[in-house]
């Protein structure tokens, strides 16, 4: 008995030594020096890409990893943390409150869009970036007026006031937005034609992803669906990775830098439907968009890439699977959101600050500190 324990302690010690050696690979050293780049100085802030998988918890990500025959991009990140999603008035957040927290650094009541519980307007990171001369953009697979993108640009106590949320887009100088929601701009009860107004402000208003993809500069409003875009498997195709690439290319024209938010909206809807195939297809689509963003961040120094979620949806539990066959069995605890922490993956200068466990509002704080807007 005693001998055996001694042996197992020795084995443990050997394992620890082995681990510390293997973690010190050349590749990792390379990445570390890359992430501290700027010849020893504090990296000059330039671009932030914030990617939000709506409803994307660890189960949704591992579901994608199980089904995919190739490794997902998530596995390339070294700086990983967890954030708490509860809202000001509820243990279970909605997308209005959680995205307000990510966008403004303030917890608010469920249903609110960049507005405090009492109705004060909360300035968003996108608005701050614009004020400081950065280019800005939003990309989404839902309507561009849905809670996630809206929380970065609009202000309302009711996330469902879509007509009003659309008007708020005109109050900004956002450079690029691509998503659904055309009807709220074009066919309105108040007889305003926001498409005409956007064109008056210099936007190219385009509806087809092929046309959108050809835009290389200037202001772009890509309204790819009347309301929401369809599911990936029902005709949306690669709209999200293509729109992400287009937005990055346009925003990169601004020498000072940019802020871009990209949302994989429908991971959440698959969760609400307790539909495993829906979740996995949307997750893999989001993964391809993250691949585009990570490639951009690797090619463009001083780009901070953050990939996270606003909350988990469905209480998804992976109860069985076959990694070889790419098969999966899942159960669900709810058709709503859950209160569980969600992961944060970060790459680039300042990405090590995203390690640990923190509030969802800290994601905003860290972006603000990266840009230096907090000084
Ligand atoms: Mg959303
Ligand atoms: Zn939801």
């Amino acid at each position: 008995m005693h001998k055996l324990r001694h042996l197992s302690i020795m084995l443990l010690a050997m394992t620890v030594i082995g681990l510390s050696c293997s973690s010190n690979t050349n590749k990792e050293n390379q990445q570390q020096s890359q992430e501290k780049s700027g010849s020893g100085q504090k990296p000059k802030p330039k671009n932030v890409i914030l990617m939000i998988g709506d409803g994307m918890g660890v189960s949704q990500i591992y579901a994608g990893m199980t089904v995919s025959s190739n490794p997902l991009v998530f596995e390339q990140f070294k700086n990983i943390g967890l954030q708490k999603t509860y809202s000001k008035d509820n243990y279970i957040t909605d997308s209005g409150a959680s995205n307000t927290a990510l966008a403004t650094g303030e917890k608010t009541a469920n249903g609110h869009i960049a507005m405090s519980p009492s109705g004060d307007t909360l300035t968003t990171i996108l608005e701050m970036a614009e004020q400081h001369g950065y280019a800005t953009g939003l990309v989404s697979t839902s309507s561009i007026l849905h809670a996630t993108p809206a929380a970065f640009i609009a202000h309302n106590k009711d996330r469902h006031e879509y007509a009003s949320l659309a008007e708020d887009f005109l109050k900004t100088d956002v450079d690029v937005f691509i998503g659904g929601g055309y009807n709220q701009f074009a066919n309105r009860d108040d007889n305003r034609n926001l498409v005409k107004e956007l064109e008056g402000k210099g936007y190219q208003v385009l509806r087809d992803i092929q046309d959108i993809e050809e835009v290389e500069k200037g202001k772009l409003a890509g309204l790819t669906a009347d309301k929401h875009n369809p599911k990936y498997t029902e005709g949306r195709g690669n709209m999200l990775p293509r729109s992400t690439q287009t937005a990055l290319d346009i925003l990169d024209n601004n020498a000072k830098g940019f802020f871009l938010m990209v949302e994989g909206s429908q991971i959440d809807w698959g969760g609400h439907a307790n539909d495993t195939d829906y979740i996995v297809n949307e997750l893999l689509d989001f993964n391809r968009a993250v691949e585009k963003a990570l490639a951009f961040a690797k090619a463009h120094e001083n780009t901070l890439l953050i990939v996270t979620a606003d909350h988990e949806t469905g209480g998804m539990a992976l109860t069985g699977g076959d990694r070889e066959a790419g098969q999966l069995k899942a159960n669900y605890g709810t058709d709503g959101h859950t209160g569980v922490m969600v992961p944060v993956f970060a790459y680039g200068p300042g990405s090590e600050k995203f390690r640990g466990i923190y509030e969802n509002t800290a994601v905003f704080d860290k972006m603000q500190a990266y840009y230096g807007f907090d000084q």
Side-chain angles (χ1 to χ4, degrees):
M1 193 68 192
H2 183 78
K3 243 184 196 167
L4 226 154
R5 196 198 291 162
H6 185 72
L7 179 68
S8 64
I9 287 169
M10 262 186 59
L11 277 171
L12 183 69
M14 282 168 69
T15 312
V16 169
I17 291 163
L19 268 176
S20 67
C21 286
S22 68
S23 76
N24 225 351
T25 59
N26 272 344
K27 224 177 176 182
E28 187 153 316
N29 285 338
Q30 247 173 31
Q31 178 165 2
Q32 276 169 2
S33 63
Q34 198 179 352
E35 293 187 358
K36 281 182 203 147
S37 65
S39 47
Q41 295 166 357
K42 207 177 163 226
K44 197 167 144 272
K46 195 174 177 198
N47 311 314
V48 174
I49 309 168
L50 174 63
M51 305 191 71
I52 301 174
D54 198 318
M56 182 184 75
V58 171
S59 293
Q60 285 78 0
I61 295 170
Y62 194 60
M65 287 166 62
T66 302
V67 168
S68 174
S69 41
N70 300 313
L72 298 195
V73 69
F74 297 93
E75 295 191 58
Q76 293 186 41
F77 290 81
K78 297 284 181 274
N79 291 318
I80 298 170
L82 293 165
Q83 45 118 331
K84 305 173 201 173
T85 68
Y86 66 91
S87 73
K88 187 88 176 173
D89 67 345
N90 207 310
Y91 185 72
I92 308 296
T93 192
D94 84 315
S95 283
S98 56
N99 286 288
T100 295
L102 296 170
T104 74
E106 299 284 340
K107 299 241 185 202
T108 191
N110 281 3
H112 288 215
I113 298 292
M115 208 170 243
S116 76
S118 57
D120 296 322
T121 295
L122 302 169
T123 307
T124 74
I125 191 75
L126 181 145
E127 291 167 326
M128 289 178 186
E130 187 184 301
Q131 284 158 15
H132 284 84
Y134 291 80
T136 59
L138 296 170
V139 173
S140 173
T141 54
S142 63
S143 163
I144 201 69
L145 304 168
H146 213 232
T148 304
F152 286 82
I153 197 167
H155 304 276
N156 211 294
K157 279 180 96 163
D158 182 355
R159 57 178 285 183
H160 298 107
E161 292 287 333
Y162 295 122
S164 168
L165 297 175
E167 290 167 27
D168 284 357
F169 276 67
L170 275 296
K171 296 175 187 161
T172 75
D173 283 309
V174 62
D175 294 271
V176 178
F177 57 98
I178 308 171
Y182 178 78
N183 281 349
Q184 295 293 347
F185 291 87
N187 306 310
R188 296 169 58 87
D189 292 337
D190 63 2
N191 289 325
R192 272 178 78 178
N193 185 331
L194 299 188
V195 170
K196 285 263 146 35
E197 291 187 31
L198 282 168
E199 285 169 348
K201 287 187 75 172
Y203 286 87
Q204 306 166 74
V205 182
L206 300 171
R207 307 219 48 201
D208 192 292
I209 186 65
Q210 237 126 321
D211 300 332
I212 289 166
E213 217 169 23
E214 278 171 29
V215 178
E216 289 173 355
K217 57 181 191 302
K219 287 185 173 300
L220 169 65
L223 294 166
T224 50
D226 288 341
K227 294 177 183 169
H228 298 302
N229 288 290
K231 293 179 183 181
Y232 174 78
T233 54
E234 292 180 0
R236 192 177 79 240
N238 289 323
M239 171 264 174
L240 185 65
R242 292 165 79 183
S243 301
T244 301
Q245 188 64 59
T246 301
L248 287 169
D249 292 341
I250 296 172
L251 297 175
D252 192 35
N253 291 317
N254 187 316
K256 189 158 189 188
F258 62 77
F259 171 80
L260 172 65
M261 193 289 297
V262 176
E263 184 199 21
S265 322
Q266 299 193 31
I267 303 165
D268 174 64
W269 303 354
H272 283 292
N274 291 356
D275 183 334
T276 306
D277 283 345
Y278 192 0
I279 291 170
V280 166
N281 279 304
E282 294 296 330
L283 188 286
L284 294 178
D285 176 58
F286 184 62
N287 176 71
R288 286 185 286 271
V290 177
E291 279 175 355
K292 299 282 187 198
L294 184 60
F296 181 94
K298 285 181 174 172
H300 297 77
E301 229 186 350
N302 301 335
T303 299
L304 172 60
L305 170 63
I306 307 150
V307 186
T308 188
D310 49 357
H311 52 73
E312 195 272 348
T313 305
M316 188 185 199
L318 306 181
T319 54
D322 182 333
R323 287 162 47 85
E324 294 294 306
Q327 286 168 348
L328 193 66
K329 252 172 52 186
N331 284 338
Y332 297 88
T334 174
D335 62 4
H337 302 167
T338 68
V340 74
M341 294 187 291
V342 291
V344 184
F345 304 85
Y347 175 89
S351 58
E352 65 285 346
K353 298 208 162 58
F354 288 82
R355 296 176 188 166
I357 295 179
Y358 39 85
E359 300 289 341
N360 53 5
T361 52
V363 175
F364 165 87
D365 296 338
K366 294 170 201 298
M367 292 190 293
Q368 192 191 31
Y370 171 71
Y371 279 125
F373 297 164
D374 56 339
Q375 262 118 57

